[in-house]
Structures are given as C-alpha cells and as structure tokens.
Amino acid sequence: MRQVDPLLGTCSLTELRQRKSVKWREYPPEVLPSFVAEMDFSLAEPIIAAVTAAVALGDCGYAHPGQLADAFAQFAADRLGWAPETAHVYPIPDVMTGLAEVVQAITPPGSGIVVNPPVYPPFRFRFGFYGRRLIDAPMARGADGRYALDPDAIEAALSEPDAGAYLLCSPHNPTGNVWSRADLAMVADACQRHGAALLVDEIHAPLALPGARFLPFLAIDHDLTRAETTFTFTSATKGWNIAGLKCGLAVAGAPAGTRLLAERWEALLASHLGVLASVAAFTQGLPWLDAVLGQLDQNRALLAGLLAEHLPGVRYAPPQASFLAWLDCRDLGLGDDPADVFQEKGNVALGHGPHFGAEGRGFARLNMGTSPELLEEAVRRMASVL
Ligand SMILES: Cc1ncc(COP(=O)(O)O)c(C=O)c1O
C-alpha cells in the first residue's frame, strides 16, 4: 500500500464517511465521491489547534481581521514572490460572495461579465442573481488537450457593448492552467482597451504544482494593477481544505477599491473561526501544504498511468495547479454528461462537464485530492461502466 505523508493522515474511507460535508452526504455510501473540490486529507495540525482553542474558549463571536492581512502578506512574500499592500487586503466570507458584492458595486445592472469556459460553474450562474449576464470567451483547446486563453475570443467578448468586467480564473478551474505573465498582460491590455473592470480569482494559487510558476495578477507590471476597478480574490480554503470555515480575502488594486471594501466590511463579514484558521494556515501551515503539493504531484502522474491502463479512451492533460483533473470522455460514447453514467453505473461521482459551459459536453471533472488508493478506486469504478 502506498502511504500518504503522515501529515496528511490516512484517507481512511471509514473515517471519511463520518464527515458530514456535502462531499460525504450528497450521495449514498456506495458511491465514491470524487466531485466537489474538497480534499480527503486530515487538516493541518496548526489549523486544528487554532479552531479547537477558540471553541474551547467560547471564542465564537464576530470576526476581527486580526493578523489576516499580515499573515497573507507574509505567505505571498515567501511563496508567491509578491508583497501585497496589507492596507488593501480585506477579509470576505468567501470568494464567490466577495466577487458578487464587488460586481454589484462596480458594474451597472445589466452588465456582461466575461468568463473563459469551460469554467467553475458558479461563475456561470451566480451573477445572474444580481441582474448581470455572462459573456463567454471560450478557451482554445489544442490537439494535445491543453487549453489556452484565446485573445480573439476575449476581444470579441469585451467588444460587446455592455461588457462591464472580466473575471479571470487564475489558476484555472477545471483545466488546472497556470497563466504566464504574457497571458496576464494580454488580459489586462484587453480590459484596459475596453474600459472593463478586471476581477481575478486566485483561490487555487497556493496549490501551484512543481514545474509551474504562479504569478499573482497584482504582482505584474501593468497600469491595471493600480486601477480602481481591479480586485483579486483568494483564500486559504482550497489550499488547506477549510471551505466550511468561511473566510476569503479580497485585495484591491487602488485606494478607491480599498475604500469600497472598507465600506462593505460588515456586509462581507468573514467567519471568526475562518479568520483564525486562515491565519494559522498562512503562518504555520506550510509543511502541511508542501506535503499536499507532493501528494498531488504524484497523483496527477499516477492518474495518467491509471487512465492509460484502464480507460485509454479518456484524454487528460495533467493540471499545473490544484487537485482537479479535467477528463475528455468524448470517445467513450457516454453522451454529453459522462458523470451521470459513471455515477449511475459505476458508483463514482464526478463533476458534470456541461455545468462548466457548453465546452464541457462530454467531459467530467475528477477530484485527485485523495490517497493513491482512493484515486485508483475511482478510476476502477469509472472503467467498470464500459
Ligand atoms: C475557482 C474557484 N473560485 C471560487 C471557489 C469557491 O470559493 P468560495 O467557497 O471561497 O466561494 C472555488 C471552489 O472550488 C473555485 O474553484
């Protein structure tokens, strides 16, 4: 049996099934859940200590930003080569809520938000709740299955008269792409030409894998990094697997953006436990994060071998970041939504490709944030449907 790093626990299925999060409660126990972006590893010890100490003390009130901005800035300096202005960093309850609030504040009702499908499904529906519409700038897909931003599609999307903002997913979910400086500059140039706000979701940044160099948008040299309508969003919730604790960070490009976040401080109150956990993650969670990165690096290679052996009809380009594998299942003859078939006939639940946009038809997203054993089991179950 291949061991996972002791820092990450054992990924025992018996223990995991005791969890009550959506991953473990959405489907009956015979279904192996490999869909939502939660990892199966044990939490980092410093996070457990911070949260249990607070609960033991009855310290469960409203959040104070405390050390969050400093803790994040230290992490960004150490790991991302970026020194964010701590005064521009604000806690938010989660990335999607922060994005929704900022979109409402900086774009007129009826505006279009440009996104790059296939893309994280809530990008596709969330802004409709607030009377904004999506404008798709689909990514280009090469013969090798790798994706790239498509400057022509972006230009066309931003040329729509109501295009108010561009929402870049960086690193990109579900393709796992890490964008280069040239990619970021191309997007920023296009937004600048068209007067569109630029919002960058960097939630997967702590999980850039060996071989990839993640670049925070605000660290590049571009006028738009200092614009009033530029914001980046991140959190410790993907990197350290604490989405349920509810804390993200918004970083404004300019003082006016900082004021906008400050005015909305109470509307965007993070969870107090989430702030404490995130500080622990950014300051004391690096050995754990390194263990995760090592495991994910192994898992993405292991998956290539498993697919070649058991599901040679599936095409997969290993991600440059995070724990999500975007699987091209179109040659399997399982229709537009292969995840339905994998779940019904194979008892393994994957993310539904079409939820990521029309470009996701025939695709499924597999979560690799687990042990090699459970990854193997997921692929075995997928193969059993054929
Ligand atoms: C790209 C991206 N943005 C946002 C989120 C959700 O973040 P939050 O729970 O902070 O809203 C996810 C979750 O998987 C994600 O992949």
Side-chain angles (χ1 to χ4, degrees):
M1 191 166 109
R2 277 176 295 244
Q3 296 293 323
V4 294
D5 189 304
L7 284 178
L8 306 183
T10 60
C11 296
S12 138
L13 203 48
T14 317
E15 277 178 28
L16 287 166
R17 290 209 187 281
Q18 292 174 38
R19 292 185 178 178
K20 297 191 178 79
S21 64
V22 66
K23 181 168 187 182
W24 297 98
R25 284 295 182 268
E26 183 71 5
Y27 295 101
E30 61 273 18
V31 175
L32 182 68
S34 304
F35 65 112
V36 68
E38 297 178 22
M39 296 192 281
D40 290 346
F41 309 125
S42 300
L43 286 191
E45 203 49 56
I47 295 179
I48 299 175
V51 173
T52 51
V55 172
L57 202 60
D59 186 13
C60 291
Y62 295 114
H64 183 277
Q67 305 304 311
L68 186 64
D70 289 332
F72 173 66
Q74 190 59 54
F75 170 75
D78 290 348
R79 289 299 182 106
L80 311 177
W82 173 39
E85 289 262 8
T86 50
H88 291 198
V89 179
Y90 268 81
I92 50 175
D94 55 60
V95 163
M96 287 310 299
T97 303
L99 273 167
E101 188 75 21
V102 169
V103 160
Q104 288 177 86
I106 65 173
T107 67
S111 296
I113 314 294
V114 176
V115 298
N116 304 113
V119 78
Y120 178 57
F123 281 16
R124 307 202 56 78
F125 62 76
R126 182 76 181 249
F127 308 108
F129 298 157
Y130 314 106
R132 272 65 175 177
R133 72 174 185 104
L134 272 196
I135 306 177
D136 280 335
M139 288 199 286
R141 188 164 186 278
D144 57 359
R146 294 226 157 264
Y147 286 83
L149 292 170
D150 179 346
D152 294 335
I154 290 170
E155 185 61 31
L158 286 169
S159 301
E160 300 239 350
D162 58 352
Y166 186 120
L167 171 51
L168 179 69
C169 193
S170 171
H172 186 268
N173 173 2
T175 64
N177 275 46
V178 168
W179 305 122
S180 67
R181 192 178 297 274
D183 292 323
L184 297 175
M186 181 272 288
V187 167
D189 286 345
C191 288
Q192 194 170 29
R193 266 197 316 278
H194 291 276
L198 179 52
L199 309 172
V200 189
D201 176 342
E202 298 184 347
I203 197 168
H204 291 279
L207 293 172
L209 295 172
R213 175 94 179 86
F214 168 77
L215 269 172
F217 176 71
L218 291 176
I220 73 165
D221 184 17
H222 196 283
D223 288 347
L224 235 55
T225 61
R226 295 174 292 279
E228 290 183 10
T229 54
T230 297
F231 295 83
T232 66
F233 298 84
T234 190
S235 77
T237 59
K238 292 295 133 192
W240 285 268
N241 206 31
I242 50 174
L245 291 175
K246 288 286 173 199
C247 175
L249 298 101
V251 189
T258 306
R259 279 195 296 282
L260 185 152
L261 295 172
E263 281 164 15
R264 285 161 180 75
W265 155 249
E266 282 193 47
L268 287 172
L269 207 54
S271 145
H272 176 50
L273 294 180
V275 172
L276 298 178
S278 301
V279 170
F282 289 131
T283 55
Q284 300 169 65
L286 300 189
W288 186 92
L289 182 67
D290 285 336
V292 168
L293 295 175
Q295 190 61 58
L296 297 181
D297 190 26
Q298 276 182 42
N299 287 3
R300 66 179 168 167
L302 173 67
L303 181 63
L306 289 169
L307 291 173
E309 188 182 339
H310 300 289
L311 279 167
V314 172
R315 277 168 294 167
Y316 150 75
Q320 295 174 296
S322 208
F323 50 86
L324 305 165
W326 183 237
L327 304 180
D328 179 352
C329 305
R330 289 175 297 177
D331 289 348
L332 300 184
L334 301 180
D336 278 355
D337 196 350
D340 271 346
V341 187
F342 290 133
Q343 191 226 311
E344 279 160 25
K345 298 196 175 151
N347 274 338
V348 57
L350 275 71
H352 297 273
H355 293 185
F356 294 77
E359 297 72 12
R361 285 193 202 123
F363 286 72
R365 196 190 71 177
L366 176 72
N367 182 334
M368 295 189 283
T370 189
S371 63
E373 279 70 28
L374 290 183
L375 185 57
E376 264 181 51
E377 179 61 23
V379 174
R380 259 198 302 274
R381 289 180 186 220
M382 289 168 66
S384 75
V385 312
L386 297 180

